[in-house]
């Protein structure tokens, strides 16, 4: 299962804790890191079992599930920049007077109004989720959509792709299979997203690569591997250090 697919299919409770439990391990929903059941992990002279180690990993690598989710693209969270800032400050335990000063908000009543607005948004979200769950049994004509990568830097129409469209695009650009050579690099945005997503699968999660290693992985896929590398970063599939010393697959 792809990382994004696992992320979007996780339950509400799994999202809250930040990991899912598989048969043999625990898997971080935020980056894909695994901790194997039955293995003891040493951390700062302490010994953690697999689940406790996963909880430690989430705090160490991501700060918290809240911090990770709040940093996602606003089209994924549905939050305005102002709502995002307020939620961060609420999560930090700031008082209304502290928030009023930090955000230059006119009065404490304004903050109370924002709190009420956020609670209203929560109620609406709950109703909407139940409606969508009930709809699943009735809407027999709804196409299956490809999950949006949670690391997408800009969520727009380019991600409006059905599973059928994805299969046709892969067949068109990878005639010998998605692990083979790329026939051409498309300029069509939807096609580009699908192609880059398939190429990104050639990288291991939780692994760091130098630039030469990245090039060695990409060169068999397409002769202009520099272009592939640039677009993988631009579209949020890979990330790198500012000096280009390390590259990694984004979770």
């Amino acid at each position: 299962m792809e990382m994004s697919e696992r992320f979007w299919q996780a339950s509400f409770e799994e999202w809250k804790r930040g990991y899912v439990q598989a048969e043999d391990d625990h898997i971080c929903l935020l980056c894909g890191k695994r901790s194997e059941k039955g293995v003891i992990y040493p951390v700062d002279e302490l010994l953690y079992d697999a689940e406790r180690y996963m909880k430690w990993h989430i705090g160490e690598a991501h700060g918290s599930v809240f911090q990770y989710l709040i940093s996602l693209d606003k089209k994924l969270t549905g939050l305005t920049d102002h709502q995002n800032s307020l939620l961060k400050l609420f999560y930090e335990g700031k008082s209304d007077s502290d928030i009023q000063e930090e955000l230059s908000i006119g009065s404490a009543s304004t903050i109370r109004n924002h709190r009420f607005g956020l609670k209203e948004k929560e109620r609406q979200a709950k109703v909407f989720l139940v409606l969508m769950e009930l709809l699943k049994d009735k809407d027999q004509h709804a196409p299956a959509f490809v999950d949006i990568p949670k690391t997408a830097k800009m969520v727009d129409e380019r991600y409006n792709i059905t599973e059928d469209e994805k299969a046709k695009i892969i067949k068109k650009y990878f005639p010998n299979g998605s692990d083979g050579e790329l026939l051409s690099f498309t300029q069509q945005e939807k096609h580009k997203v699908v192609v880059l997503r398939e190429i990104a699968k050639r990288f291991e999660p939780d692994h760091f690569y130098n630039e030469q290693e990245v090039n060695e992985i990409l060169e068999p896929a397409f002769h202009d591997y520099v272009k592939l590398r640039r677009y993988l970063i631009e579209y949020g599939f890979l990330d790198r250090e500012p000096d280009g010393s390390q590259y990694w697959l984004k979770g």
Side-chain angles (χ1 to χ4, degrees), residues 8 10-11 64 114 157 175 188 194 207 226 228 231 247:
W8 292 116
S11 69
S64 68
H114 282 303
E157 280 299 308
Q188 295 185 52
V194 173
H207 184 86
V226 175
L228 279 186
Y231 276 107
Y247 293 75

Side-chain angles (χ1 to χ4, degrees), residues 14 17 28-29 39 45 54 66 75 91 95 134 140 145 148 173 179-181 183 185 188-189 223 238:
E14 288 168 338
R17 68 173 184 243
C28 177
L29 285 170
V39 173
E45 299 183 356
M54 180 55 64
F66 180 93
K75 287 196 176 181
Y91 186 78
S95 68
L134 294 172
Q140 303 300 320
F145 287 94
I148 298 173
Y173 291 97
D179 57 348
E181 186 176 0
L183 192 62
F185 190 70
Q188 295 185 52
E189 290 297 326
H223 62 90
L238 291 184

